[in-house]
Amino acid sequence: MNTPTLHPILAAVTQRIIERSRPTRAAYLDRIRAAHHAGRLERSQLGCTNLAHAFAAAPHAVKIELQQEKTPNLGIVSAYNDMVSAHQPLQVFPTWIKEEALKHGATAQFAGGTPAMCDGITQGYTGMELSLFSRDVIAMSTAVALSHQMFDAALYLGVCDKIVPGLLIGALSFGHLPAIFVPAGPMTSGISNDEKAKTRQLFAEGKVGRDALLESEMASYHSPGTCTFYGTANSNQMMMEMMGLHMPNTAFVNPNTPMREALTRAAAAHIATAVRHNTILPVGEMVSEKSIVNAIVGLMATGGSTNHTMHVVAFARAAGIIVNWDDFNEISDIIPLLTRVYPNGKADVNHFAAAGGLAFVIRELLDAGLMHEDVDTVVGHGMRPYTKEPFMIEGKLEWRDAAAQSGDDNVIRTAANPFSADGGLRLMKGNIGRSVIKVSAVAPEHRVIEAPAIVFDDQRDVLAAFDRGELERDFIAVVRFQGPRANGMPELHKLTPQLSILQSRGFKVALVTDGRMSGASGKVPAAIHMSPEALLGGAIGKIRTGDLIRFDAEKGELDVLINEAEWLAREHAHADLRKNAHGTGRELFAGFRSLSSSAETGAMSFGGDFA
């Protein structure tokens, strides 16, 4: 078929990113090309003593293969643990990968593990202040795992919020090696998201007890696999598909199924064969400006997580590619919203996959000229293979074209009949600074608010004010000193039930913060990731309780309505942050906080050669 013409704005934004990134991208490519050993295995540069250490624990058959000059060795980097449901299925993956590698003329070794913390467990508690920078720890752990110079390619096993961006940053630091990302899949569907949200709200109002709340939560989060709402974890999996780093359409297959095992084995077999025959590009070459734009397009088309306004920026910079929130905003303006998955709708990711899934979405975007088709992927050049979905036919994998029609127009639609004409994220800017909002989950009648500010320096103070009945009015909650430099930028998702209650009672409410919300950012309008943050002199630190704020998510405008001279002359507030410095391991992350860049530049603790 003829390749559709790319939308001119998407072409222009991509070209602008290419021009902006030219020096840093060129420097990055020079570095990884210098690290590449053409025609030689990675371990060929090691001495005999070094090799003996690397072989020592290997089974005899693997030792024999590792001594050969032509047998590639695959590294496995995994975020497995058996507490986090999304990562528990990864326990068995290394065995499958090793078996398939040997069948296809390669070996595989478990190179190393990374941490995998769960924001759902730490939400609202001090452990959440480690969450964002766990991404950087994961990136460094990945680099440590690959530092032995033993591996000719790597498979990256991870799922959740910071894990996949961290793995990708680490992989790009070894960008001369081919890579494939291997997902674990979502848990099967539990109770409906509406039912879960209703019980949370009843508990927040004191109408049901903790026993009822725990029963509801356990019926929702009930088995191995990723949480089924469309938050950061499932947005990660979508982006890996949009960037061609997965085997096609493997993101949303449930764990502990024959299909999941077959797809994992297929990933290992594919990369082993591709490395042997030199038919796969190094990951640093594969991840291009067009790949990054495709990831952003996917976020908009599916109503993806706000967290990726930082993570995409961060892993793009790891490949020498510079993107900013203006790029996100312009792409959002032209990309139609094709899915409704909770919190943007009632369905979960299993319903989304059953209705057509990512193969359907990618085909619609390609056919409408709304994503780049001419990119390199782990299965070759071009995105068309990602418009197919896998089936098990007589025990063998087979990819077939995506469904011609949506299985449910309430969940997934064509580009010609979208849920809305623009995407799910928007840039908010004004005299407070620059922030982002997930508008796809916010009803139109709640997107424009003019109300007085109530200022807080701690999310627990918001909850206490709610319990005292002090928030029964129209207001905009300003929660500051929540940025990466201040306290590691925790998610403030625990505020959602209380603010939702107030909204349901007819009050006009919104949130403005230099912290994060969540991949599950919901129906209450929230301008988040405010940059600069309060600790770095951001204007959010000048807001006082009672200041009138105009919050217009339709136009992307956010301003304190005050005389400009008075606003410029007003001093910044100061907060006592000593309570954030210790406990739950926070003292170990002081260096990360002190080095962090702004939210718009990825909230990264890395410096030096990072763009």
Side-chain angles (χ1 to χ4, degrees), residues 483-545:
R485 288 283 184 114
N487 64 351
M489 205 180 189
E491 286 185 351
L492 306 178
H493 188 46
K494 202 164 187 176
L495 303 180
T496 299
Q498 286 75 7
L499 295 177
S500 297
I501 289 167
L502 295 169
Q503 186 183 72
S504 68
R505 290 175 181 171
F507 298 111
K508 295 181 179 180
V509 295
L511 174 69
V512 174
T513 181
D514 50 7
R516 294 184 292 137
M517 277 300 282
S518 160
S521 300
K523 62 185 180 179
V524 175
I528 60 178
H529 306 177
M530 182 60 70
S531 299
E533 65 176 284
L535 188 64
L536 292 181
I540 189 174
K542 299 201 292 185
I543 301 173
R544 296 174 183 169
T545 295

Side-chain angles (χ1 to χ4, degrees), residues 242-258:
M242 295 290 291
M243 296 174 68
L245 291 170
H246 278 173
M247 294 293 285
N249 223 303
T250 57
F252 300 133
V253 174
N254 301 124
N256 301 325
T257 61

Side-chain angles (χ1 to χ4, degrees), residues 170-228:
L172 289 166
S173 74
F174 280 76
H176 64 291
L177 301 179
I180 193 166
F181 281 67
V182 184
M187 67 178 68
T188 55
S189 300
I191 63 171
S192 72
N193 289 301
D194 276 354
E195 186 178 350
K196 175 182 67 177
K198 182 179 179 181
T199 303
R200 286 179 176 179
Q201 185 161 324
L202 290 171
F203 178 77
E205 293 178 287
K207 293 180 179 179
V208 301
R210 185 170 296 276
D211 55 343
L213 177 64
L214 183 57
E215 182 179 358
S216 171
E217 296 295 329
M218 289 178 66
S220 179
Y221 308 113
H222 62 91
S223 70
T226 318
C227 304
T228 59

Side-chain angles (χ1 to χ4, degrees), residues 289-459:
E289 295 89 343
K290 291 179 180 180
S291 305
I292 298 297
V293 167
N294 281 352
I296 299 172
V297 166
L299 285 173
M300 304 310 168
T302 61
S305 167
T306 54
N307 278 321
H308 289 305
T309 60
M310 291 184 296
H311 296 322
V312 172
V313 172
F315 63 64
R317 285 179 171 242
I321 299 166
I322 312 299
V323 296
N324 60 38
W325 289 347
D326 292 311
D327 302 324
F328 281 78
N329 199 52
E330 288 188 43
I331 292 172
S332 181
D333 284 344
I334 62 167
I335 301 298
L337 182 67
L338 303 186
T339 73
R340 285 284 188 198
V341 186
Y342 186 83
N344 300 334
K346 297 182 183 297
D348 68 17
V349 293
N350 292 310
H351 301 136
F352 165 67
L358 285 173
F360 187 99
V361 169
I362 291 172
R363 185 196 64 210
E364 289 298 308
L365 292 169
L366 288 173
D367 288 352
L370 293 173
M371 69 179 289
H372 292 284
E373 185 166 350
D374 59 331
V375 295
D376 292 301
T377 77
V378 296
V379 294
H381 187 75
M383 283 299 299
R384 284 290 163 181
Y386 291 82
T387 67
K388 299 178 182 294
E389 53 185 330
F391 291 86
M392 289 290 286
I393 308 300
E394 298 181 354
K396 294 184 178 180
L397 269 178
E398 182 177 311
W399 271 265
R400 296 180 173 179
D401 288 342
Q405 297 179 331
S406 169
D408 187 342
D409 275 350
N410 294 313
V411 179
I412 187 170
R413 292 186 181 177
T414 64
N417 180 38
F419 291 100
S420 66
D422 60 4
L425 295 173
R426 186 159 297 158
L427 174 65
M428 298 281 282
K429 55 187 178 181
N431 62 6
I432 304 174
R434 288 163 64 90
S435 62
V436 294
I437 183 171
K438 187 174 182 176
V439 292
S440 57
V442 179
E445 62 268 25
H446 298 312
R447 294 179 182 176
V448 180
I449 299 171
E450 194 170 294
I454 303 179
V455 178
F456 303 92
D457 292 343
D458 191 304
Q459 62 176 314

Side-chain angles (χ1 to χ4, degrees), residues 45-199:
Q45 61 197 304
L46 298 180
C48 293
T49 302
N50 309 82
L51 287 169
H53 279 284
F55 297 173
H60 181 68
V62 175
K63 281 184 180 179
I64 292 173
E65 292 297 329
L66 284 170
Q67 293 175 62
Q68 307 304 310
E69 294 183 359
K70 298 293 184 181
T71 303
N73 189 32
L74 311 178
I76 303 168
V77 181
S78 175
Y80 163 74
N81 67 55
D82 67 4
M83 179 192 69
V84 179
S85 64
H87 294 87
Q88 187 270 350
L90 300 175
Q91 181 178 20
V92 295
F93 284 23
T95 298
W96 297 340
I97 291 167
K98 291 175 183 181
E99 289 174 355
E100 292 301 316
L102 281 173
K103 289 179 188 176
H104 292 84
T107 56
Q109 292 179 292
F110 192 97
T114 77
M117 66 180 293
C118 175
D119 290 0
I121 298 171
T122 58
Q123 196 70 248
Y125 296 94
T126 55
M128 176 58 84
E129 295 179 20
L130 278 59
S131 171
L132 177 59
F133 292 129
S134 75
R135 179 196 67 191
D136 297 11
V137 173
I138 291 159
M140 292 188 291
S141 300
T142 300
V144 170
L146 298 176
S147 65
H148 300 97
Q149 298 177 272
M150 278 292 297
F151 307 109
D152 305 294
L155 298 97
Y156 299 95
L157 282 52
V159 179
C160 286
D161 296 19
K162 315 309 168 300
I163 290 89
V164 170
L167 287 170
L168 184 49
I169 292 169
L172 289 166
S173 74
F174 280 76
H176 64 291
L177 301 179
I180 193 166
F181 281 67
V182 184
M187 67 178 68
T188 55
S189 300
I191 63 171
S192 72
N193 289 301
D194 276 354
E195 186 178 350
K196 175 182 67 177
K198 182 179 179 181
T199 303

